[in-house]
């Protein structure tokens, strides 16, 4: 998809040259600011009771007299924020998706100045709305005719809006990569496949990639990661990908993504219902790849390292068993009380490994706990960090990117639950505060780091009718990294 800005014609929106024109009205009053043919059409639609001033209400009109564009859509946003614009464009886009529109012009009325955030919101809505998974489904609907989208701007808005379109397209490319990886079934999206994706990213976008195998991990003493991987016939991969766009001596941002390509639960096996969804348990890894892609595409002046411990969590004769004690790379021992709490077991060794890069900050991203879904649902990711400044940066990035998170507590009192009779800690802390005790477990491996943890179990994918990966939190992470590059 091609995105660009377009100047508002002197004669008004009715003169816009495009095969489709979507008019986004901030409020009902905004209709009166349109030029006559469009203003009259909206007035008619309202009078006839075919259109209501409700957020997200969209209506299509064909060959409106006096309007150059053959297809016209109207949609109410209900306000001027980027978030409302995104929702409105999503609703408005549906009017044009199936038809003959090749180039769509999107005009806003009553927004009182478009910012970069509006440009980003437009791209996000269009790319999300047009995404179709077809990798293993040849019968998926063919892509529509839409090839180009332009955002109509006044002179004073053009620079900011164009910047928003540029960043938005990089975000969309990263988000789409994450969605493609996470949607791909686990028989295809194996740890080796994730390594291949990282290598491809390196080749296409100038990253450096290193992939460690089991022997390497043994040498490093990653007993915890190895314990999870040992039950599977699928070889583990420990992927390290670097985008070195910053100064040589500049401390890097390190992102660590949980890469469980399928989570059966292991010997503590999960129930059969909806177990297929555990192919998304590499959503953290996918978001790291997606963020690397977005940041590299923008050629951001920042050093960014992605670390992905990748393996399957399977039951077998070689699997780690409840009660087994393993030694992590940090030297701390762990009693594996529940083999289904495997994410923290692979992340802890990756966090210890991250120390060697002397990072400015480390953020891990993981579909870590069902408890986080209970706590926050599917709208906000769980954010955990003992570092107030880092937490504030991540929360702000999430708000700006329309990919929001919510901070959760890490009081030392929660650590009690991890005590073990047989090791330095257990890997589970009971049902109460499950997302917090999981984060407390990770915290034990971050004494030498500025660290934050994002639990994306509720936000990385959707179940039900709209089942599939969301590509979150690529927008949050990319904005976080870009803000640090400034
Ligand atoms: N990958 C799951 C977490 C998960 C569950 C994500 C449901 C999305 C939806 C994770 O490995 C897991 O199994 N966690 C357990 C931890 C428990 C055993 C302490 C959980 O949440 O039930
Ligand atoms: Mn699990
Ligand atoms: Zn898992």
């Amino acid at each position: 998809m091609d995105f660009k800005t377009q100047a508002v014609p002197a004669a008004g929106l009715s003169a816009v040259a495009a095969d489709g024109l979507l008019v986004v009205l901030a409020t009902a009053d905004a209709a009166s600011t349109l030029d006559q043919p469009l203003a009259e059409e909206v007035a008619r639609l309202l009078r006839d009771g075919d259109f209501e001033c409700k957020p997200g209400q969209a209506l299509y009109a064909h060959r409106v007299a006096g309007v150059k564009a053959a297809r016209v859509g109207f949609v109410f946003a209900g306000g001027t924020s980027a978030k409302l614009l995104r929702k409105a464009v999503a609703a408005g886009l549906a009017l044009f998706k199936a038809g003959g529109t090749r180039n769509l012009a999107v005009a806003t009325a009553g927004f009182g100045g478009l910012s970069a955030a509006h440009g980003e919101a437009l791209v996000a809505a269009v790319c999300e709305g047009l995404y179709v998974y077809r990798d293993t489904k040849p019968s998926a609907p063919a892509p529509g005719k839409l090839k180009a989208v332009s955002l109509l701007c006044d002179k004073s808005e053009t620079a900011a809006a164009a910047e928003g379109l540029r960043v938005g397209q990089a975000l969309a490319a990263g988000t789409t990569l994450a969605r493609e990886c996470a949607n791909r079934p686990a028989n295809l999206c194996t740890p080796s496949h994730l390594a291949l994706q990282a290598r491809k990213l390196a080749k296409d976008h100038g990253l450096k990639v290193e992939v460690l195998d089991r022997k390497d991990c043994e040498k490093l003493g990653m007993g915890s990661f190895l314990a999870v991987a040992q039950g599977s016939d699928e070889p583990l991969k420990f992927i390290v990908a670097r985008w070195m766009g910053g100064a040589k001596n500049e401390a890097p941002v390190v992102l660590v993504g949980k890469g469980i390509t399928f989570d059966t639960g292991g010997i503590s096996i999960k129930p059969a219902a909806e177990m297929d969804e555990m192919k998304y348990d590499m959503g953290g890894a996918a978001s790291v790849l997606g963020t690397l892609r977005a940041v590299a595409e923008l050629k951001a002046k920042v050093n960014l390292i992605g670390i992905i411990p990748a393996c399957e969590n399977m039951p077998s004769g070689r699997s780690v068993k409840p009660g087994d004690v393993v030694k992590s790379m940090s030297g701390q021992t762990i009693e594996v009380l529940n083999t289904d709490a495997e994410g923290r077991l692979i992340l802890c060794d990756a966090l210890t490994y991250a120390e060697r890069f002397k990072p400015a900050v480390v953020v891990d991203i993981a579909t870590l706990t069902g408890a986080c879904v209970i706590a926050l649902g599917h709208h906000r990711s769980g954010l955990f960090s003992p570092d107030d400044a880092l937490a504030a940066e991540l929360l702000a990035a999430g708000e700006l990117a329309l990919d929001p998170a919510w901070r959760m507590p890490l009081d030392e009192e929660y650590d009690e639950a991890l005590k073990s009779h047989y090791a330095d800690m257990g890997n589970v802390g009971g049902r109460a505060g499950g997302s917090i005790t999981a984060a407390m477990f990770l915290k034990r491996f971050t004494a030498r780091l500025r660290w934050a943890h994002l639990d994306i179990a509720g936000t990385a994918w959707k179940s039900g009718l709209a089942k599939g990966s969301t590509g979150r939190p690529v927008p949050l992470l990319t904005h976080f990294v870009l803000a640090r590059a400034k």
Side-chain angles (χ1 to χ4, degrees), residues 325-342:
V325 173
V326 301
K327 189 169 183 177
S328 68
M329 186 178 170
S330 72
Q332 300 176 89
T333 58
I334 304 161
E335 185 183 9
V336 182
L337 288 164
N338 188 321
T339 65
D340 197 11
E342 85 297 341

Side-chain angles (χ1 to χ4, degrees), residues 5 19 73 125 132 162 201 218 261 307 333 379 393 402 411 431 483-484:
T5 56
D19 1 289
V132 179
L201 203 58
E218 280 170 2
T261 58
I307 301 180
T333 58
H379 183 52
E393 273 181 56
L402 306 180
D411 301 282
R431 272 166 57 81
R484 290 202 135 244

Side-chain angles (χ1 to χ4, degrees), residues 150-217:
S150 59
L151 176 59
L152 285 146
C153 298
D154 287 334
K155 258 213 179 95
S156 61
E157 303 164 335
T158 304
E163 174 63 7
L165 296 183
R166 187 181 80 94
V167 173
Q169 286 177 91
L171 283 174
T175 303
T176 303
L177 172 64
R179 292 177 82 173
E180 283 289 283
C181 285
N183 281 331
R184 197 164 287 138
N187 60 325
L188 303 174
C189 185
T190 58
S192 306
H193 179 81
L194 285 180
L196 200 77
Q197 288 290 328
R199 289 215 162 93
K200 187 168 176 307
L201 203 58
K203 194 162 152 268
D204 297 348
H205 296 276
L207 280 81
K208 285 190 195 123
V209 167
E210 203 185 338
V211 180
L212 310 188
D213 61 15
R214 182 171 57 83
K215 285 216 174 82
D216 300 316
C217 295

Side-chain angles (χ1 to χ4, degrees), residues 186 228 258 260-266 268-271 275-282 311-315 339-343 367-368:
V228 176
K258 172 177 173 182
I260 294 290
T261 58
F262 197 77
D263 182 11
T264 64
S268 314
I269 198 162
K270 288 181 181 293
M275 203 206 270
D276 65 293
E277 295 189 346
M278 282 301 122
K279 72 173 182 179
Y280 300 119
D281 212 17
M282 35 58 73
C311 68
E312 289 182 337
N313 186 22
M314 298 290 282
T339 65
D340 197 11
E342 85 297 341
T367 49
L368 201 63

Side-chain angles (χ1 to χ4, degrees), residues 242-428:
R242 312 177 204 207
W243 165 255
M244 294 311 220
K248 247 203 170 136
N249 55 358
E250 191 184 287
V253 173
V254 174
L255 302 178
V256 177
K258 172 177 173 182
I260 294 290
T261 58
F262 197 77
D263 182 11
T264 64
I267 297 300
S268 314
I269 198 162
K270 288 181 181 293
E274 283 154 25
M275 203 206 270
D276 65 293
E277 295 189 346
M278 282 301 122
K279 72 173 182 179
Y280 300 119
D281 212 17
M282 35 58 73
S287 76
V288 171
L289 292 175
T291 303
L292 280 163
R293 163 135 197 204
V295 167
E297 207 151 283
L298 291 167
K299 302 211 168 6
K301 291 192 171 59
V302 65
N303 295 331
L304 176 64
I305 302 180
I307 301 180
I308 297 171
C311 68
E312 289 182 337
N313 186 22
M314 298 290 282
S316 84
R318 279 181 287 117
S319 291
V320 68
K321 302 169 292 298
D324 285 3
V325 173
V326 301
K327 189 169 183 177
S328 68
M329 186 178 170
S330 72
Q332 300 176 89
T333 58
I334 304 161
E335 185 183 9
V336 182
L337 288 164
N338 188 321
T339 65
D340 197 11
E342 85 297 341
R344 61 199 80 180
L345 293 174
I346 72 169
L347 291 170
C348 67
D349 281 344
L351 288 168
T352 302
Y353 185 85
E355 285 178 14
R356 69 183 49 210
F357 299 114
K358 303 201 167 33
V361 295
V362 178
V363 182
D364 78 72
I365 309 99
T367 49
L368 201 63
T369 65
C372 190
V373 189
I374 303 301
L376 292 174
H378 301 287
H379 183 52
R380 285 181 184 265
S381 304
L383 167 66
F384 302 78
S385 180
D387 186 318
D388 290 344
L390 178 57
E393 273 181 56
L394 285 158
L395 287 174
E399 296 303 319
L400 194 66
L402 306 180
D403 182 8
W406 194 258
R407 193 171 178 190
M408 301 279 282
L410 282 176
D411 301 282
E412 64 183 32
E413 282 79 357
Y414 290 108
D415 197 65
E416 278 287 304
L418 296 173
K419 282 192 173 148
S420 156
H421 286 291
Y422 300 102
D424 293 332
M425 70 197 88
N427 76 328
V428 291

